[in-house]
Amino acid sequence: MTEVTPACARPTKRRRNGSTGTPTGYTAHRAAREPVCEPCLEAWRAKQAERKANLSPARLEKERARKAELARLRRQAASACVSAGQQGTVAGYAAHIAADQVSCRPCRDASANHDYGSVCARPTRRCPNGRTGTRSGYLAHLYAGEPACDACLKGNAAQEKVSRAQDPEKALRNTLWSKYRMTLEDYRARLEAQGGKCAVCGIDAPTDFRTRRFHVDHDHSCCPTSSKTCGKCTRGLLCHACNTGLGNFQDNPERLLAAVAYLTARKGATPDAVH
């Protein structure tokens, strides 16, 4: 009998040695409709715990409300397919959608095993005609670990453009909270306390023409192994030049003082005369 290779152990274009013990391996198990191995399950749980820890209070409350609504819908999930005598079939899954219900497990499994062509073409409660050409369709491709089709790529880009136009500060708000545990209101209050200027050089205009804002400076010795901070080690708001300069000097005062001595010695000035 031929031994079946677990989905997480199969090599892919990005992971030639497989994805066992990673969140990608977890999604590979789920897409293959097979039991999830323990390393992948632990990696997925760790990722979800980190994701929830990074959620802003408003987003966390929204997610809790969504879960409560799904729980309510699941309690009435069996009625549509049972009354139609089609439980555990694709027709039963369609009956759930027509009744605006979350499908029961047998019908959901039947739908998952049915060949709809592309994963984005599978109907859902919110998209009875499939999700092709939408952001939901793009995410369906992403979660299935496959390249998104052209229609979903274009639909996702268009929806992102509309979202940015409706809420231009959404990206900044999410970045501030995710990386620095700082709300947009806290950012503005700190910038106002600095007089709207860089905390080091005093320039009143950001020098980063890509983000067009001052950077949040933090103590790298506090959170050295992560691209995100604990939120307690932020120090001030700096322009791009000063923030990059401190980073290049590795936040080392001795190196900065040595650089001051180097420059003043070659200008004929004394360190005390430098502002």
Side-chain angles (χ1 to χ4, degrees):
M1 183 176 180
T2 305
E3 184 178 354
V4 179
T5 304
C8 65
R10 298 167 193 165
T12 63
K13 183 178 180 180
R14 293 185 177 180
R15 299 178 181 269
R16 297 184 179 181
N17 296 323
S19 52
T20 303
T22 66
T24 304
Y26 176 90
T27 57
H29 284 297
R30 294 298 300 271
R33 309 299 298 178
E34 65 182 30
V36 182
C37 67
E38 192 64 27
C40 291
L41 185 60
E42 289 299 325
W44 177 259
R45 287 172 177 169
K47 180 182 178 181
Q48 290 303 305
E50 181 183 1
R51 185 185 70 84
K52 290 180 180 179
N54 290 332
L55 290 178
S56 64
R59 182 67 181 274
L60 188 60
E61 185 63 29
K62 184 177 180 181
E63 188 162 298
R64 287 172 179 167
R66 174 177 169 273
K67 287 185 176 180
E69 176 65 12
L70 287 176
R72 183 187 69 81
L73 292 171
R74 286 194 181 98
R75 286 194 291 268
Q76 60 183 25
S79 58
C81 63
V82 171
S83 60
Q86 298 171 327
Q87 188 175 25
T89 65
V90 177
Y93 180 80
H96 284 296
I97 292 177
D100 193 26
Q101 295 179 355
V102 174
S103 60
C104 62
R105 177 55 66 90
C107 291
R108 191 158 61 248
D109 289 343
S111 176
N113 295 327
H114 182 71
D115 185 13
Y116 289 100
S118 177
V119 66
C120 62
R122 178 187 175 189
T124 65
R125 182 173 63 89
R126 294 183 178 179
C127 303
N129 298 320
R131 297 170 285 178
T132 304
T134 65
R135 176 168 174 76
S136 296
Y138 172 82
L139 293 176
H141 286 292
L142 185 66
Y143 295 151
E146 64 180 33
C149 62
D150 290 340
C152 289
L153 284 173
K154 293 178 181 178
N156 179 63
Q159 191 165 344
E160 284 290 329
K161 184 177 181 179
V162 172
S163 178
R164 286 194 298 269
Q166 293 176 344
D167 186 3
E169 296 177 336
K170 178 180 178 181
L172 175 58
R173 186 166 55 249
N174 292 341
T175 299
L176 287 174
W177 181 263
S178 175
K179 295 186 67 175
Y180 307 108
R181 289 293 188 276
M182 180 184 292
T183 64
L184 185 57
E185 291 72 21
D186 293 338
Y187 177 88
R188 288 172 174 166
R190 184 168 296 192
L191 183 60
E192 184 178 357
Q194 293 180 190
K197 302 177 181 180
C198 171
V200 174
C201 68
I203 191 173
D204 59 358
T207 53
D208 189 339
F209 298 102
R210 183 178 62 86
T211 61
R212 300 181 185 277
R213 63 176 176 83
F214 288 100
H215 293 267
V216 180
D217 176 46
H218 71 281
D219 186 357
H220 292 81
S221 64
C222 179
C223 307
T225 61
S226 175
S227 59
K228 301 176 181 179
T229 73
C230 61
K232 300 177 182 179
C233 53
T234 55
R235 296 184 292 206
L237 305 181
L238 307 180
C239 67
H240 177 70
C242 291
N243 188 55
T244 303
L246 289 183
N248 289 337
F249 280 99
Q250 300 177 352
D251 292 352
N252 189 330
E254 294 181 357
R255 295 184 65 180
L256 286 167
L257 291 174
V260 171
Y262 171 83
L263 291 175
T264 54
R266 282 155 181 76
K267 285 187 176 181
T270 62
D272 295 337
V274 179
H275 177 64

